[in-house]
Amino acid sequence: EAAAEVKAAVHAACDESITSCIVCMDAPRTHIFVPCGHHCACLDCGNAIMESANECCPLCRNPVAMLMPVYTS
């Protein structure tokens, strides 16, 4: 029973890391960077990156032209 609880906790942590912003690691990923298309940031972090002098995707470090929201149903 303890092993099942540990396994569930590990899976929950993995799921959260997949859906969390890679910059703040707190808010959900809601936006993509164009043109690379990486879906890796929340609105606040995405805006901060777009307002910075170094407008690069935090995942691939390629220059980005814009930030776009992702809508899921």
Side-chain angles (χ1 to χ4, degrees), residues 33-73:
F33 291 100
V34 177
C36 67
H38 285 122
H39 181 210
C40 59
C42 66
L43 176 60
D44 290 341
C45 292
N47 282 336
I49 289 167
M50 294 305 295
E51 293 170 2
S52 72
N54 185 20
E55 295 176 348
C56 293
C57 171
L59 196 59
C60 67
R61 302 289 185 213
N62 285 320
V64 293
M66 64 185 298
L67 183 69
M68 290 185 62
V70 174
Y71 299 102
T72 58
S73 55

